[in-house]
Amino acid sequence: MEAKDFSVLPRHVAVIMDGNGRWAKKRGLPRTAGHIEGAKTFRKIGEYAGDLGIRHITFYAFSTENWSRPENEVAAIMRLFNEYLEEARERLEESIQKGIRLRFLGDRSRIDPDLLELMDFMEAATAEGKKVNLNIAINYGGQQELLQAVQSIAEDAASGRISAADVDAAMIENRLYTAGQPPVDLMIRPSGEQRLSNFLLWQSAYAEFWYSDVLWPDFTEQDFDEALKAYEKRNRRFGGV
Ligand code: IPE
Ligand code: IPE
Ligand code: MG
């Protein structure tokens, strides 16, 4: 399918990759098996979105709340993330040719130093990518993101670099992990849950929501098409008439 098959494409799609655990449970497998399958779906849908011409796509991989999970599950998710990055590094030339810019959203202070090094490397190596912004939210929390933006503004105010009256929406946006990227147009959440779970709170102010009962490891290109088709029909008013 090509981009022209849709009359209107969202500029920014956000995906909450949920339901890995339930997918595994249904099969009598450990939760980590669900994460392995989910990571494959992530690769598939990320590539597909790029092929369709989606300019910004953000995948929720690990939340600031997900640290509360069993240690072995957290370790498995981080290991999968590391594997993906190593693979992405090996395929760097291909990504550069496709114009992919890889970015990571979230608080980096708790990320393992080796992993962080790989993240920094990939961000720098793809920084010139102009076609697809592929964001991965890792140790991301919308409240944490706003909190660190407020702290940095407060520091500037305390040191006299800015005054309270200078604070505006653009200043906040520029201090979010998504600085320079458009707001979310379409928020996709599979697995039957209908909540944001602390994802992109500011950026989703006017996002259209699309939910599905399909568990993330079962999510297909057809499901993604369905979300885009639903988006095409939405009447976005942004508070107007
Ligand atoms: C989403 O799947 C993956 C992460 C949160 C990292 P879950 O692991 O939340 O799967 P369920 O919701 O328990 O089925
Ligand atoms: C949201 O899923 C986080 C990610 C997909 C990374 P959760 O499974 O953590 O969300 P809740 O706990 O159901 O709200
Ligand atoms: Mg979940």
Side-chain angles (χ1 to χ4, degrees):
M1 184 172 292
E2 305 222 344
K4 61 176 166 9
D5 291 330
F6 297 98
S7 59
V8 54
L9 270 182
R11 270 194 307 172
H12 190 167
V13 178
V15 184
I16 302 178
M17 305 191 282
D18 197 18
N20 294 350
R22 278 162 285 170
W23 182 93
K25 195 175 175 205
K26 259 172 65 182
R27 288 163 178 74
L29 298 168
R31 292 179 57 84
T32 47
H35 295 312
I36 292 172
E37 282 309 302
K40 291 182 194 161
T41 307
F42 155 71
R43 287 169 171 81
K44 178 178 76 184
I45 299 300
E47 204 154 304
Y48 184 61
D51 292 345
L52 286 180
I54 306 286
R55 301 293 303 271
H56 302 262
I57 184 152
T58 303
F59 290 95
Y60 204 4
F62 192 86
S63 75
T64 47
E65 287 71 38
N66 287 147
W67 294 105
S68 65
R69 295 185 178 208
E71 217 173 296
N72 74 314
E73 182 173 345
V74 171
I77 294 168
M78 292 300 168
R79 208 160 43 237
L80 283 166
F81 180 48
N82 193 69
E83 269 172 30
Y84 165 74
L85 288 179
E86 278 177 357
E87 184 192 304
R89 184 174 53 186
E90 277 163 30
R91 294 173 62 184
L92 182 59
E93 277 316 308
E94 191 185 325
S95 296
I96 290 173
Q97 258 167 24
K98 283 185 169 175
I100 296 171
R101 179 169 184 182
L102 196 55
R103 280 194 265 199
F104 306 100
L105 319 182
D107 172 14
R108 301 184 182 209
S109 66
R110 252 183 111 169
I111 304 286
D112 171 85
D114 289 339
L115 191 52
L116 195 55
E117 206 181 301
L118 197 47
M119 286 162 61
D120 288 340
F121 172 80
M122 286 306 296
E123 270 190 344
T126 62
E128 296 303 315
K130 301 260 184 294
K131 284 208 181 102
V132 186
N133 284 279
L134 175 58
N135 302 312
I136 301 175
I138 186 100
N139 194 23
Y140 176 88
Q143 291 183 341
Q144 186 277 332
E145 179 182 43
L146 285 165
L147 194 62
Q148 60 80 34
V150 170
Q151 279 169 347
S152 109
I153 290 170
E155 272 166 25
D156 282 357
S159 68
R161 281 192 290 273
I162 57 167
S163 69
D166 295 329
V167 181
D168 59 8
M171 186 181 289
I172 294 172
E173 268 165 17
N174 287 334
R175 293 169 201 235
L176 301 180
Y177 300 123
T178 49
Q181 302 197 59
V184 175
D185 293 312
L186 173 63
M187 171 68 69
I188 294 178
R189 183 159 194 167
S191 94
E193 311 296 354
Q194 302 192 347
R195 52 175 172 259
L196 265 183
S197 299
N198 205 10
F199 196 32
L200 301 172
L201 299 180
W202 174 283
Q203 299 88 337
S204 297
Y206 269 102
E208 296 293 329
F209 286 80
W210 187 84
Y211 302 108
S212 157
D213 287 336
V214 65
L215 302 172
W216 177 249
D218 291 328
F219 196 92
T220 63
E221 289 94 337
Q222 287 70 41
D223 292 312
F224 196 74
D225 283 350
E226 232 183 84
L228 293 178
K229 284 198 197 105
Y231 177 81
E232 260 187 326
K233 297 197 194 88
R234 301 284 174 90
N235 180 6
R236 304 185 78 192
R237 283 187 288 274
F238 299 100
V241 288

